[in-house]
Amino acid sequence: MKIEIWSDVMCPFCYIGKKHLEQALAQLSFASEIELVWKSYQLNPNYHNTEGEDLYSYLSRSKGMSLAQVKQMTTQVVAMGQAAGIVLRFDTNIPANSFDAHRLLHLAAKFGKQNDAEELLFYAHFTEGKDVAKHEVLLDLGVQIGLDRQLVNTMLQSDEQADALRYDIYEAQQLGIRAVPFFLINKKYALSGAQPVAAFVDALKQSYQEWSAEKNRSMLKNMNLNDANSCEGDSCIF
């Protein structure tokens, strides 16, 4: 069973949603049968990294809010993060264009390391206060998940994985996705936002039941069901 997740590393609710999903999966006996696929989405694709600009100033400027309003807003999100088991340090958070971070995610996917890369990018951005637009930061993160440093550097110095990123965004547009996180289960059921753990559990249970039934029906269709000699109950004649 596949769950496709449109997300941006700049989005704290995507980090919280990731943790809620993981906590839900920990409660499910069939979690090992679920494949997570992270899809790219950029909340502000035109953002240009500004030296010295902190998150509070960026949000104040972009949303037309006072610094006091911004800090109050982020305080509430910090509390949500704590409840999910993560630390969101907005006071040291560095706004960044996430284009290259998404390219790293697509490279990591080729080696089965995408979920690891997603976690490290979130942690680096929200907890460690690193600038995830900087190539040296992305290089270090790539190495941490087991990728070859030169391989990551070659990707960053080219336009490799850019088409994959843009296709994810195109898919999001086709699906009408306007906010993240967005979870698409088997291309059939959708959950939007950092849903509570219980909501993920319920949705995954229902989806898994339907997916299992469909898989079993498909297996039967693929079998050769032509009549042949058989026994049924006590009516078997040798």
Side-chain angles (χ1 to χ4, degrees):
M1 190 168 87
K2 181 183 290 187
I3 304 175
E4 297 168 289
I5 310 162
W6 276 264
S7 167
D8 191 358
V9 72
M10 299 296 107
C11 168
F13 298 109
C14 293
Y15 197 9
I16 294 169
K18 180 179 186 294
K19 291 303 176 182
H20 285 178
L21 174 61
E22 290 170 349
Q23 290 164 21
L25 290 172
Q27 300 179 32
L28 302 174
S29 60
F30 53 84
S32 61
E33 298 182 66
I34 296 177
E35 176 189 5
L36 301 182
V37 179
W38 292 91
K39 298 279 193 172
S40 299
Y41 190 96
Q42 283 197 281
L43 292 168
N44 188 353
N46 298 316
Y47 180 77
H48 296 287
N49 287 58
T50 303
E51 192 68 32
E53 182 174 55
D54 60 25
L55 179 74
Y56 296 137
S57 298
Y58 165 66
L59 289 177
S60 177
R61 173 174 60 81
S62 63
K63 294 185 176 297
M65 301 168 65
S66 69
L67 287 175
Q69 288 174 312
V70 167
K71 290 181 179 180
Q72 176 61 35
M73 177 180 68
T74 55
T75 297
Q76 296 171 356
V77 182
V78 168
M80 290 180 64
Q82 288 176 336
I86 57 178
V87 177
L88 302 173
R89 292 181 176 146
F90 290 118
D91 56 329
T92 60
N93 188 254
I94 300 173
N97 188 301
S98 58
F99 188 84
D100 286 338
H102 282 294
R103 291 202 296 136
L104 176 62
L105 286 168
H106 280 283
L107 178 66
K110 296 174 65 175
F111 298 90
K113 301 283 187 178
Q114 193 183 40
N115 200 60
D116 295 336
E118 189 77 36
E119 178 64 27
L120 280 185
L121 281 165
F122 277 135
Y123 186 78
H125 178 64
F126 285 111
T127 305
E128 296 182 312
K130 293 182 178 180
D131 186 347
V132 295
K134 289 188 174 180
H135 285 188
E136 56 265 34
V137 172
L138 297 176
L139 282 167
D140 288 342
L141 294 178
V143 171
Q144 283 185 53
I145 62 172
L147 299 182
D148 179 76
R149 189 179 187 88
Q150 186 55 50
L151 181 71
V152 177
N153 186 57
T154 298
M155 182 273 293
L156 291 172
Q157 298 303 322
S158 68
D159 62 354
E160 185 182 341
Q161 305 303 327
D163 286 344
L165 182 162
R166 295 188 181 105
Y167 186 76
D168 283 352
I169 295 173
Y170 167 77
E171 277 189 305
Q173 293 170 343
Q174 296 301 111
L175 290 168
I177 298 172
R178 295 183 176 84
V180 288
F182 186 90
F183 305 83
L184 184 61
I185 307 173
N186 278 340
K187 298 189 181 297
K188 188 173 183 180
Y189 294 104
L191 291 172
S192 182
Q195 296 285 335
V197 174
F200 280 114
V201 170
D202 290 344
L204 292 174
K205 282 182 177 179
Q206 179 180 345
S207 298
Y208 181 76
Q209 289 175 352
E210 293 186 14
W211 175 76
S212 296
E214 290 173 2
K215 184 176 67 170
N216 290 336
R217 284 196 296 269
S218 178
M219 289 175 62
L220 287 173
K221 288 178 182 178
N222 291 331
M223 292 178 182
N224 184 351
L225 296 180
N226 293 333
D227 291 338
N229 295 328
S230 62
C231 289
E232 181 178 351
D234 297 330
S235 63
C236 192
I237 300 175
F238 293 92

